[in-house]
Amino acid sequence: MSDLYPVTHLTQRGDALYLEEAALNDVARAFGTPVYVYSKAALQDAWSAWEYPENERQIHVCYAVKACSNLSILRLFAERGAFFDTVSEGEIARVLAVGVPANRIVFSGVAKSEREIEFALTQGIFCFNVESVPELQRIHAIASRLDKRAPISLRVNPDVDAKTHPYISTGLKANKFGISHTDALAVYQQAAQLSGLEIIGIDYHIGSQITELSPFLDAQNRLFDLVKQLADVGIVLKHIDLGGGLGVRYQDETPPLPSALIEQSLQGLREAGLTQDLMFEPGRSLVANACVLLTKVEYLKPTEEKNFCIVDAGMNDLLRPSLYEAWMGVENCTVRDANAAQTYDVVGPVCETSDWLARERTLAVAQGDVLAVLSAGAYGFSMASNYNTRARAAEVLVDGSEVCVIRRREVLSDLWALEL
Ligand SMILES: *Cc1c(COP(=O)(O)O)cnc(C)c1O
């Protein structure tokens, strides 16, 4: 395995890029562009990195479906024993559609509707991660009406700085997520009075693309204190859910390994004298570096100010650069002479100035080349839209030298099929 690239199982052979045993130029020719190409081995490796040896307590890894929700990928993790973190009825239904038992599903999100709560309750999910007092009351009311008890956890906002982009930071007082640390004890006591609820856990999720351990550890310590205070008032929890957010390498980041996060968390639990089961909710770290987005160079356009490399994938296919100014690696699938390199902005076809994939990159590239946007597996296809009436890309899965379609490319008639 080469560590030239952050993407696992991506290698250069001769002048060509391969994902596992599949030449990326061949994949582009066979399936068209833009196309999301996932490596099965890379997904398996990413899952293995979260597996932790047998322990005195259970550790559940709960894949955050929103990072990449393709059924084939959900199934792959389901076969490895994954739990799933969902944020909508749609995501719950996806997970059920691959045959996962409902008692492996956690339901998060700030705006759970009555319909969604009733659906989740009827299915028998593992836990509602509750984000506000009115939500708690709504779940209690629906559960009482259905003569059920809803398993709940409160999402506590620990008020720590995840040191990540403001748009993907979720654990500060000013964020819409969770119940403030200050109010948590009182809200738990309130929940304990509601007969439609069964309190089983506590959770937090402080942000995404976190590349240091310290924000996790600060948040954990605050949470563990709270768990002890709860026990003192007779509220004994079964599990502690430490959320997702572990970062990955896009450029030169060196995020901690999942095993380091798990080890430190276990250490913290032991020091606090707590025996609860542990849960984590990784999304990005399971999928980001198992995928490239292939896109064809339509035109090279030199201007007075800049050189533009205009490609056939845009912000509708891959939103992260436009939305968060995210840096994503770009490589030519045909490796050309570096002496021919120039500085380009790689931009898409969408009619917005914010439609760019990469800025100020040194690339040796010719019209018609296929570029690979690296680390595209997380918040890539799952954020794609039909803006500009563009059909969404295909998704394919590489397994050795075999490549199979796991979501066909949309055809234009799909785009207006629902319109009257
Ligand atoms: C998005 C999200 C996650 C996953 O975050 P990553 O940064 O992709 O690991 C986990 N838990 C909750 C509640 C989320 O909203």
Side-chain angles (χ1 to χ4, degrees), residues 64 66-67 85 87 108 131 155 205 207-209 243-246 281-285 379:
K66 72 181 191 291
D85 177 61
V87 294
S108 304
E131 307 224 13
R155 174 167 176 178
H205 172 69
S208 201
Q209 185 52 16
L246 188 63
E281 301 172 348
R284 187 188 308 275
S285 72
Y379 308 101

Side-chain angles (χ1 to χ4, degrees), residues 51-110:
E51 277 178 340
Y52 198 79
E54 281 291 324
N55 193 263
E56 68 271 18
R57 72 193 89 220
Q58 298 205 48
I59 303 178
H60 295 305
V61 179
C62 221
Y63 172 57
V65 173
K66 72 181 191 291
C68 180
S69 49
N70 186 287
L71 298 184
S72 294
I73 290 170
L74 299 181
R75 169 165 295 146
L76 198 139
F77 293 144
E79 284 167 357
R80 303 287 300 266
F83 276 51
F84 294 88
D85 177 61
T86 60
V87 294
S88 69
E89 179 182 359
E91 286 190 351
I92 296 173
R94 265 184 188 279
V95 174
L96 294 172
V98 299
V100 173
N103 65 8
R104 283 206 247 153
I105 298 175
V106 170
F107 189 15
S108 304
V110 293

Side-chain angles (χ1 to χ4, degrees), residues 352-368:
E352 299 286 345
T353 301
S354 62
D355 181 32
W356 56 276
L357 297 178
R359 285 175 167 163
E360 303 279 320
R361 298 300 171 80
T362 307
L363 289 170
V365 63
Q367 185 169 328

